[in-house]
Amino acid sequence: MAATIKKASKDLIDEARKWAAMKQTGVSLRYMTEFGSRPTPRNLLISAQFLHKELPIRVARRAVELESLPYGLSLKPAVLKVRDWYLESFRDIRYFPEIKDNIDELDFTQMIKMVKVRHNNVVPMMALGVQQLKKDLNPKIVYEDLDEIHQFLDRFYMSRIGIRMLIGQHVALHDPDPPPDCVGYIHTKMSPVEVARSASEDARSICLQEYGSAPDINIYGDPKLTFPYVPTHLHLMVFELVKNSLRAVQEQYMDSDKVAPPVRIIVADGLEDVSDEGGGIARSGLSKIFTYLYSTAKNPLDDQSDVDPETATTMAGYGYGLPISRLYARYFGGDLQIISMEGYGTDAYLHLSRLGDSQEPLP
């Protein structure tokens, strides 16, 4: 398939360019929640018809932008692979027949479900492409200053979050037995403490796998506190922050006789604070932590030139955890801030915007 797309017909590329020039339509969370609370066959049909027109615009924009990146990034093998995925998805959605009834709608839903799966590994694959570029760049270039690439990646990943939210929400509305208080992807009574616990366990198991041991994690907060949010988004953010803290503490105390101090998570209304005593971030690195080409860990490509991001599990090295987590927070109007004391430790403050009645269109 990829080989076919590499020689993609001029017609497909031209069609993608035409759709990329169209205006995308934002959807507010309030609309998603109200519309999704009644997943009748008619509503699902209307949703599919909207996505049939909207998704090709969003996917085409990314496919076209992937062809004209600076510093030769577009030509890196991993980036070409990602571009192929976007072109395949554009073709699948754009040329899907008109959706006239609920049989068409179910076929369309199966197709976009496969599109979402196809793009599961876009983040690690793009990370690999950026690392391939980093290896080839002149060592004198300060790649944290490559603003064009950082701005492109911010746009690219924010758009990806939006596309996956639209597809995921539509697909989830087909669940015949949805979990209590869930409207598709949106949990109207999410417990941030429960999500923090689950994400911490996942991060700790990766730390155990990588190092053979892992610091304890203490979570403080009221498990009865709930508010509307998307649990998968919060899980991803907390997982990344806890993973960073575990690695910092583990490496700080690896050769020490002292017991490694626990990582602490404090959950309050609209705020999660992940703090550690892992030695902090050097002042010289603090301004770079939200750039995509910076990581305090070793570049994964230094050890294995043929690393496969689709199968590799690593604690760190791609430099993507923090910038991507901040985008997930900002997608719903929140933010992520890092305060670090070199020689002591780091606090990551995750500000969450309650997903109540916002009528602002999402990216």
Side-chain angles (χ1 to χ4, degrees):
M1 184 67 76
T4 318
I5 295 289
K6 270 177 192 157
K7 298 174 187 160
S9 70
K10 186 174 176 301
D11 291 347
L12 180 63
I13 303 282
D14 288 347
E15 187 72 2
R17 289 201 176 109
K18 188 175 90 180
W19 279 75
M22 295 180 191
K23 190 174 186 297
Q24 71 178 51
T25 307
V27 183
S28 76
L29 203 82
R30 182 176 180 179
Y31 179 78
M32 263 192 213
T33 309
E34 286 178 358
F35 189 86
S37 62
R38 301 182 304 280
T40 60
R42 174 168 167 70
N43 276 358
L44 291 172
L45 180 61
I46 291 167
S47 171
Q49 288 168 339
F50 167 72
L51 292 179
H52 193 205
K53 292 188 175 74
E54 180 64 18
L55 289 175
I57 298 172
R58 295 183 180 222
V59 172
R61 284 183 171 191
R62 303 289 70 86
V64 168
E65 197 171 21
L66 282 163
E67 295 216 295
S68 54
L69 301 178
Y71 305 102
L73 182 56
S74 292
L75 302 175
K76 296 302 168 201
V79 176
L80 287 169
K81 193 168 186 176
V82 173
R83 185 211 61 175
D84 289 352
W85 290 339
Y86 274 85
L87 280 172
E88 283 176 46
S89 297
F90 171 74
R91 182 194 57 204
D92 290 351
I93 304 166
R94 168 68 186 90
Y95 295 112
F96 190 89
E98 187 184 349
I99 303 166
K100 296 177 182 168
D101 55 34
N102 289 98
I103 294 169
D104 295 344
E105 187 276 321
L106 285 172
D107 288 344
F108 177 78
T109 300
Q110 282 307 311
M111 184 270 290
I112 59 172
K113 203 189 219 174
M114 292 312 297
V115 164
K116 188 165 179 279
V117 169
R118 176 186 291 143
H119 291 250
N120 278 351
N121 289 301
V122 160
V123 173
M125 192 59 76
M126 277 303 290
L128 181 61
V130 171
Q131 293 296 345
Q132 288 167 344
L133 171 69
K134 194 170 164 179
K135 266 197 124 180
D136 295 345
L137 279 177
N138 183 326
K140 290 179 183 168
I141 292 178
V142 182
Y143 23 77
E144 287 82 33
D145 294 340
L146 300 179
D147 283 347
E148 282 173 275
I149 287 180
H150 298 304
Q151 285 164 15
F152 156 71
L153 290 168
D154 268 349
R155 276 195 312 276
F156 181 79
Y157 289 123
M158 188 63 97
S159 165
R160 180 176 184 270
I161 292 168
I163 290 168
R164 292 178 80 77
M165 182 73 197
L166 288 175
I167 294 177
Q169 180 70 2
H170 180 81
V171 169
L173 291 175
H174 288 75
D175 187 344
D177 187 22
D181 304 311
C182 283
V183 178
Y185 257 21
I186 304 153
H187 196 311
T188 59
K189 293 180 182 172
M190 183 199 74
S191 162
V193 168
E194 287 306 315
V195 175
R197 191 169 286 132
S198 161
S200 299
E201 285 168 7
D202 289 352
R204 198 165 185 273
S205 72
I206 286 189
C207 187
L208 283 165
Q209 203 177 311
E210 188 108 339
Y211 295 105
S213 63
D216 288 336
I217 301 168
N218 296 338
I219 301 175
Y220 306 92
D222 181 2
K224 296 194 189 83
L225 168 71
T226 65
F227 55 84
Y229 207 76
V230 176
T232 50
H233 287 196
L234 182 58
H235 187 285
L236 179 143
M237 292 184 276
V238 175
F239 171 80
E240 286 295 343
L241 297 175
V242 172
K243 188 180 73 168
N244 283 353
S245 285
L246 289 171
R247 180 174 70 88
V249 173
Q250 188 66 26
E251 295 193 351
Q252 180 81 348
Y253 285 85
M254 202 183 290
D255 301 320
S256 168
D257 295 334
K258 295 178 185 171
V259 177
V263 170
R264 293 175 305 282
I265 304 175
I266 300 167
V267 180
D269 195 1
L271 177 72
E272 300 221 359
D273 169 20
V274 179
S275 62
D276 67 65
E277 295 169 37
I281 300 164
R283 281 179 63 194
S284 59
L286 206 50
S287 62
K288 306 169 189 169
I289 57 173
F290 286 111
T291 63
Y292 292 93
L293 293 127
Y294 175 77
S295 174
T296 54
K298 239 172 86 176
N299 183 338
L301 293 189
D302 290 345
D303 289 334
Q304 35 190 337
S305 57
D306 59 347
V307 66
D308 182 357
E310 297 185 44
T311 55
T313 304
T314 179
M315 280 294 277
Y318 286 118
Y320 268 46
L322 288 177
I324 294 263
S325 296
R326 186 168 68 171
L327 288 181
Y328 270 95
R330 288 179 171 178
Y331 182 73
F332 288 126
D335 210 351
L336 172 62
Q337 293 171 304
I338 305 291
I339 296 171
S340 191
M341 189 183 291
E342 188 174 358
Y344 180 72
T346 302
D347 275 89
Y349 294 100
L350 187 54
H351 301 270
L352 302 176
S353 190
R354 280 171 170 267
L355 308 189
D357 296 324
S358 172
Q359 297 189 53
E360 285 292 308
L362 295 168

